[in-house]
């Protein structure tokens, strides 16, 4: 019986994603700016999606499934997990033209290239303002109405993934982190090391 798990990778697991990405543009991971989500099948990383914080917003990329795992819907599952975790902010993507419909089903809509934040648009500067000519369509997904927004966080002496999630430069714990650590109050943090 196959065992499947869809979850966020811990920083020490980022090399697993880089190994998958050798089949996809040889991307490298940056734990300081990125969150990576994956589908694990029988313990092996089968599909990925990455959320990167740029100075002007979030970008999703590296949505990739290894050939031997294709056809099972893993890409949609890993993107949905990323959206569940990061979707309280607008997320931008550079979709290939054939995948516009796939991302459309997940709430993304095509936008003019000029509507991309500069720091995200600059990644495709080699297209000289003609992303369609590079087989790319800019898209964005606004936070979904009714989707829970992050609650205010409490000060914490440790750097947690919550700080990245909330786009804060400071050190914070989110209420979810506090619950995971069984804190008695959302105003306190027990200071346990973040294991992500």
């Amino acid at each position: 019986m196959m065992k499947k798990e869809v979850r966020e990778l811990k920083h020490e697991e980022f090399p697993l994603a880089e190994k998958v990405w050798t089949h996809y543009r040889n991307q490298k991971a940056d734990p300081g700016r990125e969150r990576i989500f994956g589908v694990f099948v029988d313990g092996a990383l089968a599909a990925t999606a990455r959320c990167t914080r740029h100075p002007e917003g979030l970008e999703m990329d590296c949505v990739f499934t290894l050939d031997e795992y294709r056809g099972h819907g893993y890409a949609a599952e890993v993107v949905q997990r990323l959206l569940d975790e990061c979707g309280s902010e607008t997320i931008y993507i550079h979709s290939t033209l054939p995948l516009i419909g796939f991302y459309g089903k997940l709430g993304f809509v095509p936008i003019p290239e000029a509507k991309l934040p500069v720091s995200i648009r600059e990644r495709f500067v080699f297209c000289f303002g003609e992303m369609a000519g590079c087989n790319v369509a800019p898209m964005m997904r606004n936070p979904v109405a009714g989707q829970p927004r992050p609650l205010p966080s409490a000060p914490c002496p440790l750097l947690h993934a919550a700080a990245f999630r909330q786009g804060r430069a400071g050190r914070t714990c989110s209420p979810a982190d506090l619950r995971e650590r069984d804190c008695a109050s959302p105003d306190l943090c027990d200071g346990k090391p973040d294991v992500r």
Side-chain angles (χ1 to χ4, degrees), residues 55-175:
E56 300 167 303
L58 297 181
E59 177 188 21
M60 181 179 73
D61 71 345
C62 290
V63 177
F64 181 74
T65 304
L66 289 169
D67 287 344
E68 60 267 34
Y69 297 103
R70 292 190 178 187
H72 299 283
Y74 297 153
E77 287 184 77
V78 74
V79 168
Q80 188 59 58
R81 182 59 186 261
L82 181 151
L83 296 175
D84 291 345
E85 297 289 327
C86 303
S88 63
E89 293 182 51
T90 298
I91 298 176
Y92 298 91
I93 61 173
H94 295 92
S95 172
T96 59
L97 298 180
L99 292 177
I100 291 172
F102 168 78
Y103 290 117
K105 291 177 185 173
L106 294 164
F108 287 89
V109 295
I111 59 172
E113 186 175 336
K115 196 166 181 182
L116 282 171
V118 173
S119 57
I120 295 172
R121 186 172 59 237
E122 285 176 345
R123 288 198 343 100
F124 279 76
V125 70
F126 60 87
C127 290
F128 303 105
E130 294 294 330
M131 288 189 186
C134 290
N135 196 35
V136 173
M139 299 181 81
M140 68 182 278
R141 181 183 183 274
N142 284 318
V144 176
Q147 179 175 338
R149 288 199 154 294
L151 298 171
S153 57
C156 177
L158 303 171
L159 178 62
H160 296 292
F164 172 81
R165 255 196 310 277
Q166 297 171 2
R168 296 189 176 169
R171 299 169 182 264
T172 61
C173 284
S174 73

Side-chain angles (χ1 to χ4, degrees), residues 172-192:
T172 61
C173 284
S174 73
D177 289 329
L178 295 173
R179 283 190 299 277
E180 287 172 13
R181 291 177 177 81
D182 297 322
C183 287
S185 165
D187 299 319
L188 301 172
C189 177
D190 64 8
K192 290 182 184 175

